[in-house]
């Protein structure tokens, strides 16, 4: 009997689901949205594969699906084949939404309804990378903590005000789980293995993956300030922390350094030595980076973006934005507006 590629893929997917149901295997459907980050979802699958390969009784199965059943163009430009379209799942299955730095608002109304129905009947859902946007759009995050890749925090906070988004690598849960993507996707799968078979088993799987897995997988995504700025000087670390905490509503530089035990001149010398810039310029660049994320990820106007990033004048904002990124904010705003992205 000959099966065309689509039918064969659907047959393999259905066969895997039937086998999983029969043998009590925990099944995951990885839903790829356009622009999905390939590292995010492949890293989430590998620990399950490793576990199955070193045990006599495999415990996990998975399928990769899309909304249409067609291959998905990932963020790296590779067209990734899928097993079929998003399909009916057992209550014990987990649907994992995977997206990247673009296309994270493109899940259809039908998919959002499918997610709500799956949770209503006791199913579990998870989000990897920027998949938290889809869970929030589906109305599944009202009473839950979410996490996503740190670079899209400003966009998420503007689009879903009132939903708590934590700076964590992975947040496991019975009904709703989240991972920031990247190497944190390994933590997502390993935390599942830990839940099912204990920490020592998860640690052994992590060792095969050359991954340092511990009980602190909910730790912050980014390195401490001292590592990011390349200095352990307490004054630099303290001031940069204050800057990051006041991006929304910047305060005068004199207020930031008032409680430091060294002078403004010494602080300026330290910033020049370790960061090759001035404290004022570093602070402004943090705000400009937030502004660009908002312009590229939301429908906020240039004026709204300037205000949300702590600029009191559009002209001043536009001048510094152009110096930083080589084009005016209106150019980015128009480029995004020309793309018909669902909101």
């Amino acid at each position: 009997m000959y099966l065309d590629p689509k039918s064969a893929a659907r047959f393999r997917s259905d066969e895997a689901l039937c086998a999983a149901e029969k043998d009590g295997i925990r099944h995951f459907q990885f839903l790829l949205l356009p622009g999905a980050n390939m590292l995010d979802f492949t890293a989430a699958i590998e620990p399950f594969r490793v576990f199955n390969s070193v045990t006599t009784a495999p415990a996990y199965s998975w399928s990769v699906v899309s909304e249409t059943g067609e291959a998905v163009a990932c963020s790296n430009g590779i067209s990734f084949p899928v097993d079929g379209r998003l399909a009916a799942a057992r209550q014990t299955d987990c649907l994992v939404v995977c997206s990247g730095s673009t296309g994270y608002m493109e899940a259809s109304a039908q998919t959002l309804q499918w997610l709500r129905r799956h949770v209503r009947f006791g199913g579990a859902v998870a989000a990897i990378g920027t998949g938290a946007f889809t869970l929030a759009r589906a109305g599944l995050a009202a009473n839950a903590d979410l996490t996503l890749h740190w670079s899209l925090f400003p966009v998420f906070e503007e689009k879903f005000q009132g939903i708590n988004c934590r700076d964590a690598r992975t947040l496991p849960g019975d009904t709703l789980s989240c991972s920031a993507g990247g190497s944190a996707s390994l933590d997502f799968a390993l935390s599942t293995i830990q839940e099912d078979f204990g920490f020592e088993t998860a640690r052994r799987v992590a060792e095969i993956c050359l991954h340092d897995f511990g009980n602190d997988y909910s730790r912050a995504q980014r390195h401490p300030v001292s590592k990011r700025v390349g200095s352990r000087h307490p004054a630099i670390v303290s001031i940069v922390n204050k800057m990051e905490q006041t991006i929304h509503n910047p305060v005068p530089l004199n207020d930031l350094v008032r409680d430091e035990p060294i002078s403004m001149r010494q602080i300026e010398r330290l910033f020049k030595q370790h960061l090759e810039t001035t404290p004022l310029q570093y602070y402004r660049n943090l705000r400009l980076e937030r502004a660009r994320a908002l312009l590229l990820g939301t429908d906020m106007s240039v004026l709204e973006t300037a205000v949300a990033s702590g600029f009191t004048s559009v002209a001043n904002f536009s001048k510094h934005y152009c110096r930083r990124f080589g084009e005016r904010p209106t150019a980015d705003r128009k480029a995004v507006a020309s793309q018909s992205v669902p909101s």
Side-chain angles (χ1 to χ4, degrees):
M1 178 179 65
Y2 171 77
L3 291 177
D4 61 82
K6 288 185 181 179
S7 298
R10 194 175 303 114
F11 176 79
R12 289 193 300 271
S13 180
D14 292 344
E15 188 179 52
L17 283 169
C18 290
E21 186 168 5
K22 179 180 179 181
D23 300 332
I25 293 176
R26 194 168 180 178
H27 189 77
F28 293 81
Q29 282 196 55
F30 287 86
L31 171 63
L32 306 189
L33 294 178
N37 186 303
M38 188 177 290
L39 172 61
D40 291 353
F41 68 87
T42 54
I45 292 173
E46 280 304 291
F48 296 138
R49 179 197 64 79
V50 170
F51 177 92
N52 286 349
S53 70
V54 298
T55 60
T56 55
Y60 302 103
S61 64
W62 53 87
S63 53
V64 181
V65 300
S66 66
E67 292 184 306
T68 63
E70 301 293 333
V72 173
C74 293
S75 59
N76 58 9
I78 294 176
S79 182
F80 197 89
V82 299
D83 297 313
R85 66 172 63 235
L86 183 61
R90 301 173 301 157
Q91 182 178 329
T92 54
D93 292 344
C94 179
L95 177 72
V96 187
V97 181
C98 308
S99 53
S101 58
T102 61
Y104 49 80
M105 293 290 286
E106 293 190 16
S108 67
Q110 183 179 1
T111 294
L112 302 182
Q113 182 181 7
W114 192 99
L115 285 166
R116 289 191 290 267
R117 184 170 61 247
H118 185 59
V119 171
R120 189 184 312 125
F121 287 101
V125 296
I128 289 181
T130 55
F133 282 89
T134 299
L135 299 192
R137 289 181 62 215
L140 300 175
N143 300 312
D145 287 346
L146 298 181
T147 190
L148 67 150
H149 194 275
W150 62 266
S151 64
L152 271 295
F153 267 36
V155 178
F156 189 90
E157 290 168 354
E158 289 294 334
K159 284 185 175 291
F160 303 106
Q161 297 178 18
I163 295 180
N164 189 26
C165 190
R166 289 175 52 189
D167 178 18
R169 287 172 60 86
T170 295
L171 294 175
D174 295 333
T175 300
L176 188 150
S177 303
C178 278
S179 166
S183 64
S185 294
L186 293 166
D187 292 334
F188 164 78
L190 291 166
S191 65
T192 301
I193 294 171
Q194 177 182 351
E195 175 189 342
D196 294 341
F197 298 97
F199 172 73
E200 188 56 30
T201 299
R203 188 199 63 77
R204 288 200 301 268
V205 171
E207 190 173 35
I208 296 173
C209 296
L210 301 182
H211 181 62
D212 183 17
F213 179 70
N215 290 313
D216 59 343
Y217 45 74
S218 62
R219 67 188 183 278
Q221 297 175 34
R222 304 180 73 186
H223 290 301
V225 168
S226 59
K227 283 193 174 183
R228 283 189 275 127
V229 301
S231 172
R232 291 186 178 183
H233 195 289
I236 292 184
V237 172
S238 174
I239 292 170
V240 171
N241 268 319
K242 293 175 188 176
M243 289 177 174
E244 292 182 348
Q245 292 166 6
T246 56
I247 291 177
H248 307 72
N249 189 22
V251 298
L253 193 58
N254 285 333
D255 290 349
L256 291 180
V257 304
R258 180 174 296 142
D259 298 329
E260 301 303 327
I262 59 177
S263 69
M264 174 69 82
R265 181 173 297 179
Q266 288 174 298
I267 289 172
E268 290 177 342
R269 190 182 304 120
L270 285 169
F271 265 74
K272 198 70 175 177
Q273 176 185 346
H274 294 281
L275 302 177
E276 299 181 348
T277 187
T278 66
L280 185 62
Q281 185 63 56
Y282 187 89
Y283 198 13
R284 183 186 295 127
N285 285 345
L286 288 177
R287 292 155 53 205
L288 289 169
E289 287 162 10
R290 170 183 169 81
R292 195 174 205 203
L294 293 175
L295 281 175
L296 296 176
T298 73
D299 58 359
M300 294 172 65
S301 68
V302 172
L303 173 60
E304 291 169 331
T305 302
V307 172
S309 304
F311 290 88
T312 57
S313 160
V314 171
N316 188 46
F317 167 60
S318 182
K319 177 184 70 175
H320 289 297
Y321 191 97
C322 188
R323 285 179 181 173
R324 176 68 172 163
F325 302 114
E327 57 187 1
R328 295 191 177 278
T330 49
D332 279 338
R333 176 73 277 151
K334 289 177 181 177
V336 174
S338 67
Q339 303 170 4
S340 55
V341 179
S343 61

